[in-house]
Amino acid sequence: MSRMIMAAGSYAKTPYFFEKTYVNLYSLEELCYCLVENAELLDQEIVSEKLARWLDEQCMLPQLAHALFALVNQKGSPSAYVGTILEYAGLYSTETVNRIETLIKNNAGLNPYEKQKAKADYMLQNKRYMIALERYDELLSQLPEGEKELRGRVLHNMGVVNAKLFLFGHAQENFMEAYQTNGSKESLKQFLAARRLQDSDRDYVNYIAENPDLHELSMQVERMMEQAAEQFDATQEYRMLFTLRVCKEEGSDTAGDVAYYDEIEKLTNLLKDAYRESVSK
């Protein structure tokens, strides 16, 4: 039997804009979900009088708001503030609330640069690629020279973003700079992968021949490419394309060809829409 979750408070007429994730929230339940799913992003900024006032005036939760106002006045910790909200809502188990509080406490030990990277990483993980790039760029401009390890990880993730945007030339530059900065072999491997995706087979083989020290790593890249191809073969999109191709090859009338290309166009448009969404702000 599924567990029934009782809603607390009212549905807000005016939403609360949660800046960490760029979303509007309309209820205590939505707020709790956002806090749990993005706990690694939370810092002292979450201890907010504005949020407490919204819960009081929009969600009609004066008791919870009163407790939060007290924490704001006492300069309470982010973990205590979030824990108070989650415990009041009662949507999650005690173990989950304790885990979230611990995660927030541990992240409090990160330096400001690592926190900025965590925010940019969140945008990358949620396919907000242009925002992620902007945040990585901003972080790079602020990093001291001594932060080579962190700089390399930021550059690597910028390469990941550019690769996901099919900008393999930019991705190569990011991965190589990351490797030159902190010596990460993973960055060097991803550099080769980006080059493999952009270059013709002949140009790529010539490049490896000219750089024999990269031969072993290039073999790892080839295995990685084979695994990616196998994973794509298992997707619904591939199965649909395969079925359509078989129908087209075995069909004898023009109608079969028309249906095939109609479906191809639909799939292409879906992929285009997904791409546009990923680069929009």
Side-chain angles (χ1 to χ4, degrees):
M1 180 181 294
S2 62
R3 177 188 174 196
M4 180 179 292
I5 298 177
M6 301 299 292
S10 302
Y11 194 77
K13 293 181 179 179
T14 302
Y16 181 81
F17 181 66
F18 196 70
E19 294 183 2
K20 298 288 186 185
T21 57
Y22 289 78
V23 296
N24 285 321
L25 304 175
Y26 288 87
S27 68
L28 175 62
E29 289 71 28
E30 290 181 4
L31 172 62
C32 289
Y33 177 82
C34 200
L35 294 175
V36 170
E37 292 299 310
N38 304 286
E40 70 277 3
L41 299 180
L42 303 179
D43 52 26
Q44 195 63 38
E45 291 179 6
I46 194 62
V47 185
S48 165
E49 182 178 327
K50 180 181 177 182
L51 177 54
R53 187 180 302 111
W54 176 76
L55 287 166
D56 184 13
E57 299 175 356
Q58 291 294 323
C59 296
M60 305 304 170
L61 295 168
Q63 185 177 351
L64 173 58
H66 178 76
L68 297 178
F69 278 127
L71 285 170
V72 172
N73 293 332
Q74 297 165 10
K75 300 187 185 302
S77 68
S79 59
Y81 192 91
V82 172
T84 298
I85 295 173
L86 297 178
E87 287 176 5
Y88 182 91
L91 300 174
Y92 298 93
S93 66
T94 301
E95 291 76 12
T96 298
V97 174
N98 290 339
R99 177 177 60 82
I100 296 302
E101 289 182 342
T102 300
L103 177 59
I104 296 172
K105 287 177 184 177
N106 291 340
N107 283 349
L110 299 178
N111 66 43
Y113 304 118
E114 291 170 327
K115 290 180 180 179
Q116 283 183 253
K117 180 180 178 295
K119 294 175 183 178
D121 290 346
Y122 172 84
M123 293 301 166
L124 166 56
Q125 292 162 8
N126 288 273
K127 301 181 180 181
R128 305 295 295 276
Y129 297 137
M130 298 309 294
I131 296 176
L133 276 179
E134 288 181 0
R135 292 197 171 186
Y136 286 133
D137 269 329
E138 183 179 356
L139 177 54
L140 283 179
S141 68
Q142 298 173 4
L143 277 176
E145 286 298 320
E147 290 280 0
K148 289 188 176 181
E149 176 62 29
L150 183 56
R151 179 179 292 275
R153 287 191 281 126
V154 171
L155 286 164
H156 180 95
N157 284 7
M158 290 180 72
V160 172
V161 174
N162 278 314
K164 287 181 177 293
L165 293 172
F166 306 103
L167 301 174
F168 298 119
H170 292 307
Q172 287 179 55
E173 294 174 5
N174 296 143
F175 289 132
M176 177 52 72
E177 189 175 354
Y179 170 69
Q180 293 172 341
T181 300
N182 64 7
S184 169
K185 284 294 182 65
E186 181 61 26
S187 294
L188 184 59
K189 183 167 72 172
Q190 295 302 329
F191 161 78
L192 287 179
R195 184 151 196 148
R196 181 73 175 85
L197 289 167
Q198 183 183 47
D199 291 358
S200 67
D201 290 346
R202 180 177 181 179
D203 288 343
Y204 180 75
V205 169
N206 287 340
Y207 178 78
I208 298 301
E210 294 168 1
N211 296 272
D213 54 314
L214 298 177
H215 177 74
E216 182 178 347
L217 205 57
S218 72
M219 293 296 98
Q220 296 180 27
V221 171
E222 290 306 310
R223 287 193 292 272
M224 184 172 65
M225 292 293 180
E226 291 172 1
Q227 291 172 359
E230 290 173 358
Q231 290 172 2
F232 177 73
D233 289 349
T235 63
Q236 181 179 355
E237 290 85 355
Y238 176 81
R239 289 195 295 269
M240 183 176 70
L241 287 173
F242 179 79
T243 302
L244 287 170
R245 187 168 66 247
V246 170
C247 292
K248 177 179 181 294
E249 292 172 352
E250 294 182 352
S252 58
D253 55 8
T254 305
D257 288 349
V258 173
Y260 173 78
Y261 288 111
D262 283 347
E263 292 300 322
I264 289 293
E265 184 176 3
K266 288 178 184 178
L267 179 57
T268 302
N269 287 335
L270 286 174
L271 293 173
K272 287 180 179 178
D273 289 342
Y275 177 78
R276 293 189 188 101
E277 182 179 352
S278 72
V279 300
S280 64
K281 293 186 180 180

